[in-house]
Amino acid sequence: MIKVGLLGCGNVAHIIAKETEGFSIKACFDLMPRRAEEISKLTGAGSFSSFEEFIKEDLDIVVEAASVTAVHEFAREVLENGKDIVILSVGALADPGLKNELKDTAKRTGRKIYIPSGAIMGLDNLKIGRISNISKLLLRTTKNPRSLGIETDKKTMLFSGRADECIRQFPKSINVAIALELATGHDVEVELWADPDLQRNTHEIIVEGDFGNFYLKIENKPCPDNPATSYLAALSIITLLRNLEEPIKIGT
């Protein structure tokens, strides 16, 4: 059974901790010790407030469910210590220097970096962009202004432009765009909207290319304890971990 360490013990970690069929949580780390202790009580995993002690544990893979800052600070060390890593805060990889550093480290250490589908679906299908021309790739994200930390009484476009520009203004709202860029190998145009009448975060993906046209709309239910986090994002990590243990097979 795959031995998992949780880097970040907030709402996403709590959801993962309740759905551990197919894998086992062995260690949890958070800069706020109380959070790690809560996960420890749910799973029996070791609780750590020191990353150096956490990463010495016997783990196969570390799940980052913390922040872009945590990816910058800890992802390379996870790989250097012989563990694979799942990066949920994929917006960190908008930094080409960090992305290349982690790729080089993974290659050198023989470890793997996994990117979950997060708050959207269809990433595997969009990999066709690496072999067939894409002429348009647009992500239109609409959220309730409360989750963006702003106030508005009408639907308002907050940003329109490239993903790498959006991250400077809205670093917590760019994970989906970077995941799309990694999947397709193509720059993503981003529209970010705030809508006070919206109860669910919505992502619309519009793709045009030599293969035809593609439109996908996802309406995410927020996590019960954190409206800024998609429930689907947490579930995508659970699915990834279970598939690592027992990949889907067809036939006998």
Side-chain angles (χ1 to χ4, degrees), residues 1-5 58-62 82-85 111:
M1 182 174 289
I2 292 175
K3 298 182 288 277
V4 176
D58 181 20
L59 305 171
D60 299 310
I61 192 166
V62 170
K83 279 79 172 173
D84 295 340
I85 188 169
R111 308 318 304 173

Side-chain angles (χ1 to χ4, degrees), residues 97-149:
L98 178 65
K99 180 174 70 173
N100 291 332
E101 180 185 11
L102 293 181
K103 286 174 63 177
D104 291 344
T105 303
K107 185 180 296 185
R108 175 169 49 81
T109 58
R111 308 318 304 173
K112 294 181 179 179
I113 301 170
Y114 294 94
I115 306 299
S117 56
I120 58 171
M121 297 180 177
L123 282 183
D124 280 349
N125 304 86
L126 287 170
K127 290 177 182 177
I128 59 175
R130 294 183 173 275
I131 56 175
S132 180
N133 180 59
I134 289 179
S135 56
K136 179 178 182 179
L137 178 55
L138 171 67
L139 170 67
R140 182 181 297 122
T141 293
T142 309
K143 296 185 175 185
N144 188 286
R146 291 193 307 274
S147 70
L148 294 165

